Amino acid sequence: MSGSRSRLYRSGVLERENLSVAEATRHLADPAVTLWLDLDAPTAADLAALTAELGLHPLAVASVLDEDHQRPKLVHYDHHSFLAAYAVRFEPGDGVLAASELDAFVTDRVLVTLHRNNTADIDALTERWDSTPDLAKTGTGFLLHGLLDLLVDGHFDALQILDEQVEELEDLVFADQADATDLQRRSLRLRKSLSRLRHLALPMREIVSSLMRREIHTVDDTLLPYFQDVYDHVLRVTEWTESLRDLLATIRETQLSIQGNRLNTIMKKVTSWAAIIAVPTAITGFYGQNIPYPGFAQASGVWVSTAAILVISATLYVLFKRRDWL
């Protein structure tokens, strides 16, 4: 089969690791055994072999083989459940939220995880399981809890970085030498990342709440508080995402308002100076007429026009200054 990893728990104790899929499934005859199988880039043949062993529903198998990214979901079939979820990470350098799909088949004693191109952090997943070995006796629910907890914590970590990016953007809005084009580009990029995270995180609320229902026997009373904790984290992620989206919208509106105010200030200054410059233009234009007028062809005419220019211009300057137009 494609690159695979596995674990075999017997009566809640980790007994073996990295068995072949064929060898691992041979132990399913023992009711005390719980298996985890992980396949990287599974082929149709790999899934056909799993279907023969676990009785997987053809629609679930088709969802795994479909190259198009699907919406996060949890579908219950007669003999198993199918989970589609996403691991995310945010790279501050390029400002893009990266998401990788992770699918899982869940039976009463087997968890099969599937992904492509080693996009899932499997080492982090096994470390999460090893941190709570006392829960291993609960079977598949223990494995599924570790998986969901890891995914939701990944959403939370990405959101924390996004929050820091939004705070930086908020500070830049009020900077004196802010680059409006860069601010707009960063704002739109962050909004796109937040929208994508919202689309990936919001369905997790229904996934976790579905698993906690009494008619679904994957989660027992021992695991219920742990799944409730995951559910609380999902709620925090979705609420925080909505809050940051609103904050980004407010930042964008503030940026436009500041740009409008700055433009108004510039227009007031330009208009004020234009009014002042219009005074000597008008007066010299009047005195430039080739017709007799008081002071025509006399030195007094020059002094009168110069005095008029200075007095009127100074008066306009003082008036505009008092009104904070200059």
Side-chain angles (χ1 to χ4, degrees):
M1 281 194 174
S2 303
S4 64
R5 295 178 63 175
S6 63
R7 278 190 168 194
L8 185 149
Y9 291 85
R10 193 183 303 274
S11 300
V13 178
L14 177 59
E15 186 174 284
R16 296 183 62 184
E17 292 187 80
N18 298 326
L19 296 80
S20 67
V21 175
E23 183 182 1
T25 53
R26 282 200 295 268
H27 290 272
L28 286 177
D30 185 350
V33 166
T34 300
L35 288 177
W36 165 63
L37 306 173
D38 177 74
L39 301 181
D40 178 47
T43 64
D46 295 336
L47 293 174
L50 282 177
T51 300
E53 293 288 347
L54 304 177
L56 303 178
H57 196 282
L59 288 178
V61 174
S63 296
V64 175
L65 293 174
D66 190 356
E67 293 291 337
D68 295 332
H69 294 297
Q70 54 193 322
R71 183 179 184 272
K73 62 184 178 181
L74 178 67
V75 184
H76 299 290
Y77 298 101
D78 291 338
H79 305 294
H80 68 91
S81 299
F82 173 71
L83 169 70
Y86 287 83
V88 303
R89 69 181 185 279
F90 182 77
E91 300 293 344
D94 54 18
V96 176
L97 184 77
S100 55
E101 184 177 348
L102 192 149
D103 301 325
F105 296 111
V106 187
T107 73
D108 56 346
R109 291 191 294 120
V110 181
L111 173 68
V112 182
T113 53
L114 311 105
H115 48 90
R116 294 182 178 87
N117 302 321
N118 291 312
T119 52
D121 191 351
I122 299 302
D123 289 334
L125 178 59
T126 55
E127 289 173 6
R128 180 107 12 162
W129 288 332
D130 292 339
S131 66
T132 55
D134 53 314
L135 296 177
K137 60 182 180 296
T138 58
T140 308
F142 154 73
L143 300 175
L144 187 58
H145 167 263
L147 175 62
L148 292 175
D149 195 36
L150 178 67
L151 293 177
V152 173
D153 282 355
H155 296 173
F156 202 86
D157 292 342
L159 195 55
Q160 285 184 313
I161 301 176
L162 282 166
D163 186 33
E164 294 172 359
Q165 295 283 311
V166 172
E167 287 183 359
E168 291 180 9
L169 189 66
E170 192 174 17
D171 294 336
L172 288 175
V173 167
F174 296 98
D176 293 334
Q177 302 297 327
D179 186 338
T181 303
D182 181 61
L183 282 175
Q184 184 177 5
R185 185 183 298 109
R186 292 180 61 178
S187 176
L188 293 176
R189 193 164 54 217
L190 285 172
R191 186 171 181 83
K192 182 179 180 180
S193 294
L194 281 170
S195 296
R196 190 177 188 192
L197 180 58
R198 177 179 179 273
H199 292 151
L200 299 179
L202 190 61
M204 296 296 290
R205 181 168 56 185
E206 178 59 30
I207 289 173
V208 179
S209 64
S210 173
L211 289 168
M212 292 191 297
R213 293 171 189 162
R214 292 294 180 182
E215 61 271 20
I216 307 299
H217 303 294
T218 304
V219 180
D220 59 14
D221 292 338
T222 302
L223 284 175
L224 190 59
Y226 294 91
F227 274 82
Q228 183 64 54
D229 181 66
V230 174
Y231 184 74
D232 291 340
H233 286 177
V234 171
L235 291 181
R236 289 180 62 188
V237 167
T238 54
E239 291 171 359
W240 197 359
T241 302
E242 293 294 343
S243 176
L244 287 181
R245 278 165 52 86
D246 293 340
L247 181 57
L248 266 181
T250 302
I251 290 175
R252 179 58 181 158
E253 293 173 359
T254 303
Q255 180 190 4
L256 293 176
S257 178
I258 291 174
Q259 287 179 344
N261 291 337
R262 288 174 177 170
L263 181 61
N264 288 338
T265 301
I266 293 172
M267 290 302 297
K268 286 192 299 183
K269 291 182 178 181
V270 171
T271 303
S272 299
W273 283 113
I276 293 173
I277 294 173
V279 172
T281 302
I283 293 176
T284 54
F286 177 80
Y287 276 86
Q289 298 178 91
N290 294 321
I291 56 174
Y293 53 84
F296 179 75
Q298 299 179 12
S300 61
V302 176
W303 293 114
V304 170
S305 63
T306 302
I309 290 173
L310 293 176
V311 171
I312 297 175
S313 297
T315 302
L316 288 176
Y317 179 84
V318 172
L319 179 63
F320 292 150
K321 196 70 174 179
R322 287 181 177 178
R323 294 187 177 184
D324 196 27
W325 285 24
L326 286 175

